[in-house]
Structures are given as structure tokens and as C-alpha cells.
């Protein structure tokens, strides 16, 4: 009997936030052993739909059925009790606990049952075995606060696989992963399918979905505009359904003259993170930085920005030495860093959109002592318009925007700050195809106006499409500089792969990108 | 909708409280009684303005009671030694600012949490105040000094009330209409994000502690004027009342939230509660219980609100 009903069915889900309809009669079903892809533009309601399923939000109408039985989840614990687990778009681990403690939170193995003493050794052992089994190279005893964004994501995934008995929701799980880890994740997903889990997978990367999805649901403005078997629609058709219009040229052409050197980095070193890194970026140029997770790319740009200073080496901005111990000096000199972790180092989540947008350049809004709030709102409106931030409300609490729209607010912050040298760390993380094009256009405008851009990205097609030169980092060192017009993904990956086991890693990675490259 | 509740709940509570007390005891609404409420809450409200800055920026200062006593006796010494009234008040303000600088400096330079630093400072300032006065009240203040606490402008407006209004207007302007105010909220909301946006976090945090110190010094002068002596034991337990005023008014113990209007209402709620209890003949022991319960309620409400936002931000 049970096998006739789909593992999960959501019917007529409706959700309002402050009177705005975010979900409008959405239905979705997923069978055991299937991956159901959920796509849609930023703010379409994907995360909200899944948070309703996970018990985070209460629906205003609609019902949820598991194996044909109606269920109600009043809180996340209810959903977990029914074997429904979710990996959230924003990281949600406890930073002060270790990897193993996070994975087993609330489920710690106990020795001396009556006393309830946590058996740490057993816990570390099990966590270690589990991570290794998944192919994740993470120390179970490391505190989460020390992990890179990619490794934190992997820990979240590991934890969720323990909790998920029937349904596993993954909300943009690969947005901070590189090719290699994505490959491990896909292998894991295939295992989970075989175990009979129903998986709902949200992503903006269609190339990725192509490899794992069995079904497809497309949301637009809180409504289902398509539901069917994966493969019925071409990529172009999917994008058209999401956007509700035709989209052209992913990487808009750029006409720029390279000018003087704006940023020069010499022998920059930070113990254990990167060593002897030297490069320069000229006016009008986009310099890409590629590498696997843990190669030291984020640490490098954070050091240039002064957020976590380097131990030695020099940074020159427009020919003058920049001696930064704190970002304020760098910002004052026209440097901007779009951070990789928008929740931790990017946004003041409980403050309004406009205040987050103007934070790095309030000087421009001050006359005498007074901050001109009218001009602030005008400025916010301008950037909301330019980057299509939705909803277009300067007073909206930024933590309540969808993930992709939060990312756009962060980019807008540095555009508003009129920075001259941009360090962009995964600038299109979680951003939909249409908005991506807006961001690429914005980058092109910047370089045309004489700015220099350093772009760290794990999205190789993006690097190839946007950068002039691509620097490849491997284990904290710059190993090669490639001309973006001449190189290929395979070549980049060959340099990025770590020496030992390089061949195997290369093979999966190359295979991944052969399948996923833009056609 | 819940934002709306959060905004107006303190105000509605204050109104309800006033109505209840006025019905039970009509004398509550007499001009003389209202003036005395204003005088009684002035000291707490002035310090609470500074505390709003510190708490919105994510800090806390437990030493304000002791600091007020120390600043009060410093000013009293100056006055007892023949300094003009203005100089005496200035001495208190400067002494408070110096204490604030010490607190803020220690917190940012040594990277110790404000809670710990100011808990220590609470003992230190009280000790210094007792030491320099030998534990005795500083007497011999000029009678004119009393005007600061007991005087009426145009024979109508209590002087402390006027000071409160001026301080509140200045704090409101600072918090809402200046860069410093913006940074205050940003630092309290997410200190790392503020730092990555180029905000000089340490610099501003020190400024907020210094401003709190200066206002505490001013409050100390008013308290001395009220007592017509410099009391080294003044202000005991004030830190709790001040922090309660901020929290009742919508300030958050974890920063990023709070407002001048809210804090004033919070201070008034506490003042009216105390005054009403006195009028109704409720013992001061019971009053303490009630005030404690109100604080816990306000904090619970704040925690509840925050959980909602965190869910939204997942
Ligand atoms: N807690 C909330 N309060 C108010 N509005 C909200 C809240 N959460 C989400 N929204 C709004 O609901 C809409 C849908 O958001 P949601 O996060 O579901 O989008 P999404 O499809 O996941 O987008 P993205 O691809 O950017 O992650 C957005 O307009 C967002 O601003
Ligand atoms: Mg989302």
C-alpha cells in the first residue's frame, strides 16, 4: 500500500509573510529513491517551501503527506521525528562545538547510560568513519569555527544524512563547494537514493542538476509553473520558465583598455594558509583566482583586505604601500571585499536593507553632522533597481530576503562605496541566472570605469567567461598564471589538483566539467 | 505585525500602568506627584541614555552605579573646595568620562568581554570612592548647587527634567541621524560584518563607553545635588535599574536593538511602578519582587523575538 503513495507529497501550500503571498498553492511530490530538482529565480519561494516542509514555518494553507499519511510539523523537531531533514541554505552549525559534536548534537553516543556521559571517543570515531566513508577530508575533533565554508557545508550534509530517514532537502548544497567536493556529494546522493530516500535538491546550477535529477519542479513568484520528469525541457526552456522571459548571452562582452597597475601583491605569506603569493591587477582588468577548497584563496583576499592580516609581504595600491591591520584602512583607500560568508562577515541581518547597503560609505551621505536619510533611501533604491533586488523595499529586514538577494545587497554595498579595487569572493554564490547576468554586467561596468577586479570563484565557466587572466592556487601557492582566452577547464584543474592522488582527483574533476560545461 | 507589537508594547504597558494607578489613587496625577516622579527617574534616565548606546552596540556596563558615586564625590570635593558650580559639574562629568575610557579601553585592548571588565570595575570604582572619602559623605557643598536637583525653571519645570530632555534629544540625534549612530547599530548587530565593512569597531566602542561615562558623571552631579552631599555609597543597584530600563524599552542584551524613546519609557515604567507602589503603601520589598519580575518578562520577550528572527534567517 505504502509504495503506491509517493514518499512525500505537498498539496496546495500557501504561505504569507506580513500579508505578502510568498507561496501560492504550491504542490510538489517526491518518490522514494528519486531526486527532485527544485529551481526558480531568487525569491521565488524555494527555501520558504522547504522550510514549511521542515517545520520551520507554518503554512497558511495546504497539507503535507508522508507515504499517504497527513502530517503536521509545528517545529523542526517534529519533521526530524518523521525522518524529514533539511540542509539549510545558510550554515547553521554551532561554531564553538567540534565537527563530531555538531554531527551528533542531541544524539550523542552515551556510555554509562544512567549517568548520561557522552562517549567522546566513540563519537569522534564514528564521526571520523562517517566522514571518511563519504570521502570528506575533515578532522572530527576540529572546532567548526576553524573550518572553511566548504568544509562546514560538508559537515552540515553529514549531519543531515544521519537525521534523514525518509526525505532529505538540500538547499543549494554546492554553492560553496568546489568541483572535487561536489563530486563526492554526488556520489553520496547516489548512495542515499539507493537507500530509498526521497531527495529534494535546490540549485541554480542546471549543469549540476542534469547529473542527478530525476524530476523537475519550477517555481516562479510562489507558483509552480512546471512539474515533470527531468529531461523534458532543455536548459534554455527551463531558464525561460524561471525568468518568464528570454535570456541571452550569459557573459556579456566587455570593451576595456588595460591601464596602470592598481593592485600589486608581493611575496604575501600567512603561515599555514598561503606563501609567497605575488601578482598584480591593472585598471580595467578582471583577474580570476581558481583552486580547490582549502587552497587558500579566501585567506589570500582576506589578507589583502586586512581582515586577517598576512605575516609578511607587501601590498601596493595605486603605487603606494598599503599597510593594513584592519579593513577600515583598506576601505578608505578604495578596496572592497565581497565576502564568501554573508551571514558571518557580510550582513547585519536584523537591520534594514538600505542600512546594510550604505554601511561601507556613510561618509557620502553625511552633511555636517547629519546623515541624510532621504539620500540614503534614494541611493538604496538606485541599487535595488540596478541589481533587481527583490522585494524592492529599502526598509525590509535584510535577514528576510532570499539568499540570492542578500548576495546582491552585499555587492551593492561595494558598488555604492565606489571602490576602485574589488576583491570578489564567490560573487555569484546562490544567485540565479538572470541576476548573475546583472552582476556580470555590473563587473564589466566597473572595469570599464577603470576599476580592477580580483575574482575568486569555484565556478570555472564563470572564471573563463569573465576573467582576463586566471591564477591557479594550490595548497597556498600560486602555481601558474593562465590566459583566460587560451586555457580550458581541464588545464586549470590539472594545475589546481593536489600532487598526491592528483591523477584520480583530476579524472573525477575533469569528468565533472566535461559534463557540466556550458554548451 | 510582531514588529508593531514590539514597538508599542512598552508604551501601551506604561499607559495601562498609569491608568490603573490613577484609578486606585487619584493623587497620582497631581502636578506635585508627577514632578516628583520626574525628579526620581531623572538620574536613572540620564544614565540609561548612555547605556542605550553601549547596549545597542552589543556591550554592557555593570559599573555605572559605582561610577556615579565616584564621579559624584569627585565633583563634591571640587565644590567643597570652593569651585564654582559649573566647574563642579564638569569635574563629575570628566571623572565619569575617564572611567568610561578605562572600561572601553580595557575591553577593546585586552579583548575581555564587557561583562567581566565592568563587573571588576564596579568593585574598583566603589572602592576608590570609599577610599578617597574615607567612607564618609563629602559635605560643605554650596546651597546654590541644590538647584540642579530641586530647582524649577520658571518655577514650573523641574531642572532635572530639563536635563533629561536635552540629553535625550542629543542621544536621539546621535543614534538616528549620525554616522556614529549607524555604526552603533551595525556593530551590535554583527560586529564582524561591521569590521569587514570598514567600520573602526574598537574606536567606536570606546566612544560609546566614554559617552556613557560622561552621562553617568552628570547623573552623579545631580544625585549629589539632591543629597546636598557627595555620597560614596550612592547609586547602589542602579546598574540593574538602568539596564532594565533599556531592556524593557526594547533594547536587546545581544545588541543591535534599542531606542531612546523605548529606554525613556522603560525608565518611566520603573519610576511609575515605584511611585505608585509608594502611594498605594506597598512595601519596598514587594516592589523589588515586582521590578525583578518585570525585567524577566522583558528579557523573555526579547529572547522570543530574537528566536523568530533567527528562524527567518536560516
Ligand atoms: N521570514 C520572512 N519574513 C518576510 N519575508 C520573507 C521571509 N522569508 C522569506 N521571505 C520572502 O519570501 C520570498 C521568497 O523567499 P525564499 O527565501 O523562499 O526564496 P528562494 O526561492 O529560496 O530564493 P534564493 O534563490 O535567493 O534562495 C522573498 O521575497 C523573501 O523576501
Ligand atoms: Mg533560498
Amino acid at each position: 500500500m505504502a509504495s503506491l503513495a509517493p514518499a512525500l507529497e505537498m498539496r496546495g501550500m500557501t504561505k504569507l509573510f506580513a500579508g505578502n503571498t510568498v507561496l501560492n498553492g504550491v504542490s510538489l511530490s517526491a518518490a522514494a529513491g528519486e531526486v527532485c530538482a527544485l529551481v526558480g529565480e531568487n525569491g521565488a519561494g524555494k527555501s520558504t517551501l522547504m522550510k514549511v516542509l521542515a517545520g520551520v514555518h507554518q503554512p497558511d494553507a495546504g497539507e503535507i503527506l508522508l507515504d499517504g499519511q497527513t502530517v503536521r510539523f509545528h517545529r523542526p523537531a517534529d519533521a526530524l521525528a518523521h525522518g524529514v531533514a533539511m540542509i539549510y541554505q545558510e550554515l547553521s552549525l554551532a561554531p564553538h562545538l567540534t565537527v563530531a559534536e555538531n554531527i551528533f548534537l542531541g544524539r550523542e553516543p552515551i556510555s554509562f547510560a544512567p549517568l548520561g556521559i557522552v562517549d567522546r571517543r566513540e563519537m569522534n570515531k564514528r564521526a571520523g568513519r562517517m566522514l571518511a566513508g563519504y570521502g570528506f577530508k575533515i578532522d572530527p575533533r576540529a572546532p567548526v569555527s576553524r573550518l572553511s565554508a566548504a568544509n562546514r557545508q560538508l559537515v552540515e550534509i553529514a549531519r543531515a544524512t544521519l537525521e534523514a530517514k525518509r526525505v532529505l532537502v538540500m538547499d543549494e548544497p554546492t554553492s560553496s563547494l568546489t568541483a572535487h567536493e561536489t563530486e563526492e556529494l554526488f556520489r553520496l546522493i547516489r548512495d542515499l537514493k539507493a537507500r530509498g530516500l526521497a531527495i529534494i535538491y535546490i540549485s541554480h546550477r542546471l549543469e549540476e542538476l542534469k547529473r542527478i535529477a530525476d524530476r523537475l519542479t519550477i517555481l516562479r513568484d510562489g507558483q509552480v509553473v512546471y512539474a515533470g520528469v527531468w529531461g523534458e525541457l532543455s536548459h534554455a526552456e527551463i531558464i525561460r520558465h524561471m525568468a518568464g522571459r528570454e535570456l541571452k548571452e550569459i557573459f556579456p562582452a566587455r570593451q576595456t583598455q588595460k591601464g596602470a597597475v592598481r593592485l600589486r601583491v608581493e611575496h604575501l605569506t600567512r603561515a599555514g594558509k598561503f606563501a609567497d603569493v605575488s601578482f598584480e591587477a591593472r585598471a580595467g582588468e578582471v583577474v580570476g583566482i581558481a583552486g580547490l577548497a582549502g587552497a587558500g584563496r579566501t585567506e589570500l583576499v582576506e589578507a589583502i583586505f586586512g581582515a586577517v592580516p598576512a605575516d609578511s609581504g607587501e601590498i601596493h595600491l595605486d603605487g603606494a604601500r598599503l599597510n593594513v591591520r584592519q579593513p577600515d584602512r583598506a576601505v578608505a583607500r578604495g578596496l572592497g571585499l565581497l565576502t564568501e560568508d554573508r551571514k558571518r562577515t557580510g550582513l547585519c541581518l536584523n537591520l534594514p536593507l538600505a542600512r546594510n547597503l550604505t554601511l561601507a560609505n556613510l561618509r557620502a551621505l553625511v552633511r555636517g553632522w547629519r546623515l541624510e536619510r532621504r539620500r540614503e533611501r534614494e541611493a538604496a533604491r538606485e541599487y535595488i533597481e540596478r541589481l533587481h533586488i527583490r522585494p524592492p523595499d529599502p526598509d525590509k529586514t535584510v535577514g528576510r530576503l532570499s539568499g540570492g538577494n542578500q548576495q546582491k545587497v552585499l555587492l551593492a554595498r561595494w558598488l555604492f562605496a565606489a571602490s576602485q579595487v574589488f576583491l570578489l569572493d564567490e560573487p555569484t554564490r546562490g544567485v540565479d541566472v538572470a541576476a548573475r547576468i546583472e552582476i556580470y554586467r555590473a563587473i564589466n561596468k566597473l572595469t570599464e570605469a577603470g576599476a580592477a577586479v580580483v575574482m575568486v570563484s569555484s565556478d570555472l565557466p564563470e572564471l573563463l567567461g569573465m576573467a582576463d587572466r586566471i591564477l591557479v592556487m594550490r595548497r597556498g601557492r600560486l602555481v601558474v598564471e593562465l590566459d583566460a582566452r587560451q586555457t580550458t577547464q581541464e588545464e586549470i584543474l590539472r594545475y589546481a589538483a593536489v600532487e598526491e592522488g592528483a591523477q584520480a582527483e583530476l579524472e573525477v574533476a575533469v569528468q565533472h566539467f566535461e559534463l557540466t560545461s556550458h554548451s | 505585525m510582531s514588529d508593531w507589537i514590539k514597538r508599542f508594547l512598552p508604551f501601551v504597558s506604561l499607559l495601562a500602568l498609569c491608568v490603573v494607578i490613577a484609578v486606585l489613587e487619584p493623587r497620582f496625577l497631581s502636578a506635585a506627584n508627577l514632578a516628583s516622579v520626574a525628579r526620581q527617574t531623572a538620574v536613572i534616565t540620564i544614565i540609561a541614555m548612555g547605556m542605550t548606546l553601549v547596549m545597542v552596540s552589543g556591550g554592557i556596563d555593570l559599573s555605572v552605579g559605582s561610577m556615579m558615586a565616584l564621579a559624584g564625590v569627585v565633583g563634591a570635593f571640587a565644590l567643597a573646595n570652593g569651585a564654582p558650580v559649573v566647574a563642579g559639574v564638569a569635574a563629575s562629568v570628566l571623572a565619569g568620562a575617564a572611567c568610561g575610557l578605562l572600561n572601553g579601553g580595557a575591553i577593546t585592548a585586552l579583548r575581555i568581554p564587557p561583562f567581566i571588565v565592568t563587573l571588576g570595575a564596579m568593585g574598583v570604582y566603589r572602592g576608590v570612592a570609599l577610599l578617597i572619602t574615607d567612607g564618609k559623605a563629602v559635605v560643605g557643598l554650596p546651597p546654590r548647587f541644590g538647584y540642579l536637583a530641586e530647582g524649577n525653571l520658571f518655577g514650573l519645570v523641574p531642572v532635572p527634567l530639563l536635563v533629561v530632555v536635552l540629553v535625550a534629544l542629543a542621544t536621539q540625534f546621535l543614534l538616528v541621524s549620525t554616522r556614529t549612530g549607524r555604526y552603533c547599530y551595525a556593530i551590535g548587530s554583527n560586529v564582524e560584518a561591521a569590521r569587514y565593512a570598514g567600520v573602526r569597531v574598537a574606536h567606536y566602542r570606546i566612544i560609546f563607553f566614554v559617552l556613557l561615562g560622561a552621562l553617568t558623571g552628570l547623573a552623579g552631579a545631580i544625585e549629589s545635588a539632591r543629597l546636598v552631599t557627595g555620597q560614596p555609597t550612592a547609586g547602589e543597584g542602579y546598574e540593574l535599574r538602568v539596564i532594565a530600563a533599556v531592556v524593557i524599552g526594547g533594547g536587546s542584551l545581544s545588541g543591535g536593538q534599542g531606542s531612546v524613546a523605548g529606554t525613556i519609557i522603560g525608565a518611566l515604567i520603573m519610576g511609575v511602578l515605584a511611585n505608585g507602589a509608594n502611594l498605594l503603601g506597598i512595601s519596598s520589598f514587594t516592589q523589588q519582587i515586582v521590578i525583578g519580575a518585570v525585567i524577566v518578562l522583558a528579557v523573555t520577550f526579547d529572547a522570543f523575538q530574537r528566536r523568530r528572527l533567527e528562524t527567518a534567517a536560516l
Side-chain angles (χ1 to χ4, degrees), chain A residues 56 302 326 347 350 371 376, chain B residues 177 182 189-190 195-196 311:
Chain A
V56 175
E302 288 194 328
Q326 284 293 339
L347 295 166
N350 74 332
L371 191 107
E376 173 173 58
Chain B
S177 303
R182 273 308 155 75
S189 171
N190 183 347
R195 193 169 75 87
Y196 273 69
T311 328

Side-chain angles (χ1 to χ4, degrees), chain A residues 41-43 45-48 51 89-90 171-172 202 204 342 401-404 430, chain B residues 314:
Chain A
E41 290 204 308
N42 294 133
K46 306 179 295 293
S47 299
T48 305
K51 284 191 209 166
Q89 184 170 13
E90 306 296 334
D171 196 349
E172 302 193 30
I202 300 177
H204 291 291
R342 56 183 172 244
L401 293 179
S402 77
Chain B
L314 265 178

